[in-house]
Amino acid sequence: MSQQSSTLITFAAEVVTRARPEAVIAVLRAPREHLAWAGTRSPQSTFRLLTLEADEPLASVGSTFRSTGAAANGTFHDTSVVTVAEPGAFAFRTTSRLDRKHGAELRLTFDHRYDVTPSGDGARIAYACRAHDANYVPYWLQPVMRPFTRRMIQRLMTRQLHLLATLAEEESTSGSLRP
């Protein structure tokens, strides 16, 4: 199956932060930090990480981490593998299983990418995600619902990017950045 035909939906969000690009990348490369900015700090009880286990404190290409996450209709169980870990980019592929409260179990794959570029005295964080290869297409990913789903997820991801930016700003001013 071609990449284009298997794509269900794409998402994108972008924020600007006072944190330096290397501070943002340091937070992204520390998988356990994802549990803070995309989990415990998130005000969204139905869109956040609940648990995260990583084999390594600093992710590099090939590193794996496992997580669970809250969704509006169930709980995600994810395994992610880092595909890019560079000074200006961090990406990973997530194989996900959503145990739904209502409906059949959903399995799909997400390709997440964060591009971090200088912007003034800080950085611009651009997030992109592609969801693909599902075992079926739930109602919220049906073609007629995709524009609504895309807008909703973009709002939620923008909020999480602001939390990422805030954590990177805090860690860069406190001096607790990882090498």
Side-chain angles (χ1 to χ4, degrees):
M1 185 181 302
S2 74
Q3 177 173 324
Q4 187 66 16
S5 66
S6 66
T7 298
L8 292 171
I9 193 167
T10 58
F11 310 109
E14 190 172 291
V15 299
V16 175
T17 178
R18 293 184 314 265
R20 298 178 328 276
E22 56 272 17
V24 175
I25 290 294
V27 171
L28 286 169
R29 289 194 60 202
R32 291 181 185 104
E33 295 288 0
H34 292 225
L35 189 55
W37 64 267
T40 57
R41 292 185 177 206
S42 177
Q44 303 293 74
S45 63
T46 59
F47 187 74
R48 71 164 93 178
L49 285 176
L50 299 172
T51 65
L52 190 141
E53 297 175 5
D55 296 334
E56 303 164 19
L58 187 63
S60 57
V61 173
S63 295
T64 300
F65 51 98
R66 291 153 303 287
S67 58
T68 61
N73 188 24
T75 303
F76 278 101
H77 302 272
D78 300 339
T79 300
S80 299
V81 178
V82 175
T83 56
V84 176
E86 300 171 352
F90 185 76
F92 55 95
R93 173 169 279 183
T94 300
T95 304
S96 187
R97 183 186 88 234
L98 173 60
D99 291 335
R100 298 178 67 197
K101 295 175 189 171
H102 309 287
E105 174 184 278
L106 176 62
R107 293 180 177 272
L108 66 164
T109 301
F110 296 95
D111 288 318
H112 307 270
R113 184 176 175 98
Y114 298 84
D115 287 298
V116 183
T117 55
S119 178
D121 291 337
R124 177 175 309 281
I125 308 167
Y127 168 77
C129 179
R130 181 175 75 92
H132 56 97
D133 296 332
N135 59 328
Y136 71 95
V137 180
Y139 77 92
W140 46 275
L141 287 177
Q142 294 293 329
V144 71
M145 292 297 293
R146 286 180 193 163
F148 171 77
T149 300
R150 185 176 289 112
R151 282 190 305 274
M152 180 187 68
I153 296 296
Q154 182 177 0
R155 273 195 312 272
L156 295 169
M157 285 309 305
T158 299
R159 289 179 190 155
Q160 286 193 343
L161 286 180
H162 281 292
L163 295 170
L164 165 62
T166 299
L167 185 60
E169 290 168 8
E170 291 170 2
E171 292 199 5
S172 65
T173 58
S174 72
S176 63
L177 284 175
R178 288 142 195 84

